[in-house]
Amino acid sequence: MTDILNGVKEPSWIPDPQVVAAARITEFARLAEQRADRSLADYDALLRWSVQDLDGFWRCIWDFFDIQATTGSDTVLVDDTMPNARWFPGAQLNYVDQVFRGRPSDGAALIEVDETGTRAELSWAELQRQVGALAATLRRLGVGIGDRVVAYLPNGSEAVVAFLATASLGALWSACGMDYAPTAALSRFAQLKPVVLVSADGYLNSGKTYDRGPAVAEIRAGLPTLRATILADRVGAAAAPGTAGSDTLPWAEAIERDAGLTPTPVAFDHPLWVLFSSGTTGLPKGIVHGHGGVLLEHLKALALHCDIGPGDVFWWYTTPSWMMWNFQVAGLLTGATIVCYDGSPAYPAPDAAWALAARLGVHVLGTSPGYLAAGAKAGIDPVKEHDLSSLRTLGVTGSTLSTPLYDWATEHVGSTVQVASVSGGTDVVTAFCGGAPSVPVWAGEISAAYLGVALDSFDDDGRSVRGEVGELVVTRPMPSMPVMFWDDPDGTRYAEAYFDRFRGVWRHGDWITITDRGTVEMHGRSDATLNRNGIRMGSADIYEAVEQLQEITESLVIGVDEDGGGYWMPLFVTLDEGTELDDELIGRVKAAVRTHASPRHVPDEVIAAPGIPHTRTGKKLEVPVKRILQGTATARTFDAGSVDNPDLIDWYLDVGRKHRGD
């Protein structure tokens, strides 16, 4: 549990000196010291150097990981003024080269598991064979540099193989999970004018089999640029009428012929994939990242910050819709074995993910605060019920990780396990801040900025602040920042998205506090700011207070500016089964907020809701619900296909109408 001694907050986890000595970040620091010609013995010194000398740091990353390039570059960074920074001009490489370079033929590259317990492994040799075979098939279909291949797939081996095959050709990849409605998938894919669709006939979740044949047919019909569809049989529905068409090729046939693998060299900033924003504020934005930037960033993040390498088993619970899928696939760059899981982490029991992690001997496991909170309320005790002796790091992202959940994880997952809260975004397909093997963990705080990330906190006037709430900003460029937005030829939308507030500085849209020791406290999205009587507040502080109550399963707080200068701040709560929101519980909710946050944070109303709407990647829809309560037309507020439960929106619309007296 968290200790407070003499008013000083003590770390909840301290690195083992022997582990630190053997960590890859320590090995990297030795090389960095030679390059910098000064001592970089502690993380703070290494971090300072990494952001002061971008050329030296990223050249050191390139050399440390011995990047395989057809053509190198004598220059690291051309013009460090954002958003015009260009990295490694003239370099020619391919992301896929690094995946297979020097791998053993018989070691496991990928483990595929589903809810039924069915398990399959792909060795490095077989993964490379399948990637080469599919690349040859795509080439026969006319796919080449710059073409787009899209995927409507669950989290299985097909998605990994298809991505690597696409990238090896210099084509662009984009994917979403099969839980997305066809309209939501089309709102993304249609922008790209893809030439090939890779799909499956269905997926598993929570004990149910979902036949997605009709959805696949609808997507195919909505993409007139398709030359072919490659269809995997995962649930036995591929032969159902209407699922396939005359242009459909079975997955087994697409990967059956051995063809070797020779990735196509492309420019450092050549587009690798298009990731889409959640689509909760209009048409989803297509965010394009380059081969080289992703390669360097993911090697740094996974090998140095997560200490992942050959022999490790890496599993982040995710779907192809979320950037964490791309992050997990990058585990292959380090030589680790990655886990692809098709199903719910809470089926057939709340501890299903822990049971699987134990069975597979997972070393680094990634999950969300929501899954930890559900486990805490279900009363599970993973460390007592499962053999988690292999687990050394528990990564947590997707929303703010509260102090009570840190404490729960320390007690119930293992005191020797590093609970590494991370925060970043699809925009940079990595984290801005998180853990490292050599940095302590303080409950409720993120340990440090990532290496190479010039993280800062700005007040309204663009001044750097410490110990108080400010805007999360990045003051120097990162290689994995987007190379462009899709269909944004002059870069206007890209510039407006991140650089409209502080010239030449990336503003991400999160409220944070950077402490005197360099840790980071997250307070929620700044575009969903609670601003009562001129005092800015973060929604995360309210959620941490309220969601500790056993009766509350989840909450959503919204600040609504009203005509005439009024301000309405309702708190919506979903209740545990059999619980009623009576005056006594409302009083305890408000008392919890007053005690754990402040009197200013106490909501105007506490309202029982049938559910809290999220994006498909689990983030609460604070901004869209705010606009709905203000009376903004739904069609202009969000893409309904991007919401996990669109039916809830009508309920919130009705709440807004009643409050406004419409």
Side-chain angles (χ1 to χ4, degrees), residues 349-359 371 380-390 412-413:
D351 63 347
W354 305 110
L356 183 58
R359 181 154 61 96
Y371 184 67
I380 66 173
D381 197 347
V383 74
K384 289 184 178 179
E385 296 163 5
H386 305 287
D387 179 6
L388 297 176
S389 56
S390 295
H412 297 282
V413 179

Side-chain angles (χ1 to χ4, degrees), residues 368-634:
S368 66
Y371 184 67
L372 297 183
K377 292 198 172 183
I380 66 173
D381 197 347
V383 74
K384 289 184 178 179
E385 296 163 5
H386 305 287
D387 179 6
L388 297 176
S389 56
S390 295
L391 187 64
R392 63 172 185 264
T393 303
L394 177 66
V396 188
T397 193
S399 58
T400 301
L401 181 62
S402 66
T403 298
L405 286 180
Y406 263 106
D407 292 337
W408 181 87
T410 299
E411 182 177 354
H412 297 282
V413 179
S415 59
T416 62
V417 175
Q418 180 188 20
V419 181
S421 178
V422 297
S423 182
T426 301
D427 321 72
V428 289
V429 73
T430 189
F432 296 118
C433 49
S438 55
V439 182
V441 174
W442 285 266
E445 302 172 12
I446 299 178
S447 294
Y450 264 19
L451 296 177
V453 180
L455 184 72
D456 209 337
S457 176
F458 276 11
D459 66 13
D460 284 342
D461 296 321
R463 293 182 298 230
S464 179
V465 294
R466 294 294 181 270
E468 62 182 81
V469 177
E471 287 268 9
L472 187 161
V473 298
V474 180
T475 59
R476 304 204 71 190
M478 297 167 57
S480 67
M481 286 175 173
V483 297
M484 63 179 179
F485 279 1
W486 192 258
D487 199 20
D488 181 29
D490 62 358
T492 299
R493 292 170 59 216
Y494 177 32
E496 289 175 348
Y498 309 112
F499 303 103
D500 63 338
R501 180 76 180 277
F502 306 114
R503 185 176 179 83
V505 173
W506 175 290
R507 182 183 73 96
H508 194 62
D510 285 331
W511 290 128
I512 64 169
T513 297
I514 300 179
T515 70
D516 290 340
R517 58 174 165 263
T519 60
V520 180
E521 299 173 350
M522 305 299 299
H523 303 290
R525 294 293 296 172
S526 60
D527 49 11
T529 303
L530 303 173
N531 192 336
R532 180 185 267 167
N533 299 324
I535 305 297
R536 297 184 310 197
M537 300 177 291
S539 57
D541 303 308
I542 295 176
Y543 301 146
E544 179 174 344
V546 172
E547 292 174 10
Q548 294 181 55
L549 299 175
Q550 186 66 34
E551 297 91 341
I552 307 298
T553 58
E554 198 175 15
S555 59
L556 177 72
V557 66
I558 303 294
V560 181
D561 296 297
E562 299 181 301
D563 293 340
Y567 193 76
W568 178 46
M569 198 172 93
L571 174 68
F572 300 96
V573 296
T574 56
L575 303 172
D576 198 17
E577 188 174 354
T579 299
E580 180 182 347
L581 186 64
D582 54 18
D583 290 342
E584 189 272 338
L585 180 55
I586 290 174
R588 286 197 290 122
V589 167
K590 291 186 174 182
V593 173
R594 183 178 293 107
T595 301
H596 294 284
S598 79
R600 291 191 183 93
H601 287 74
V602 175
D604 296 316
E605 291 184 68
V606 182
I607 303 171
I612 304 297
H614 308 83
T615 67
R616 293 283 179 178
T617 56
K619 296 180 180 178
K620 298 178 184 181
L621 293 183
E622 293 176 324
V623 176
V625 171
K626 175 178 180 175
R627 293 178 179 175
I628 287 170
L629 295 179
Q630 289 174 321
T632 303
T634 309

Side-chain angles (χ1 to χ4, degrees), residues 69-226:
T70 305
T71 306
S73 175
D74 294 331
T75 304
V76 173
L77 180 60
V78 178
D79 185 1
D80 65 356
T81 304
M82 294 183 284
N84 300 313
R86 286 183 57 235
W87 297 87
F88 293 94
Q92 295 272 318
L93 45 66
N94 191 295
Y95 174 103
V96 179
D97 274 323
Q98 191 75 23
V99 169
F100 293 108
R101 185 181 183 193
R103 304 301 177 219
S105 60
D106 56 352
L110 182 152
I111 301 172
E112 181 176 21
V113 191
D114 66 25
E115 281 186 348
T116 69
T118 301
R119 171 179 172 172
E121 290 188 7
L122 290 184
S123 67
W124 285 99
E126 177 58 16
L127 177 61
Q128 185 169 358
R129 189 203 69 77
Q130 290 192 19
V131 171
L134 184 60
T137 296
L138 292 173
R139 194 179 292 111
R140 286 195 299 273
L141 293 171
V143 177
I145 291 178
D147 287 329
R148 277 78 65 198
V149 174
V150 297
Y152 188 58
L153 287 167
N155 187 17
S157 61
E158 296 92 349
V160 177
V161 171
F163 158 59
L164 294 175
T166 299
S168 75
L169 299 174
L172 282 70
W173 166 264
S174 191
C176 65
M178 301 196 82
D179 57 333
Y180 271 58
T183 52
L186 285 170
S187 70
R188 291 155 172 77
F189 294 162
Q191 298 181 51
L192 305 180
K193 298 180 173 60
V195 296
V196 172
L197 167 68
V198 183
S199 190
D201 57 347
Y203 69 101
L204 305 176
N205 193 270
S206 300
K208 296 180 181 179
T209 299
Y210 291 87
D211 176 359
R212 299 298 278 162
V216 174
E218 185 175 340
I219 292 170
R220 286 172 49 240
L223 298 174
T225 55
L226 289 181

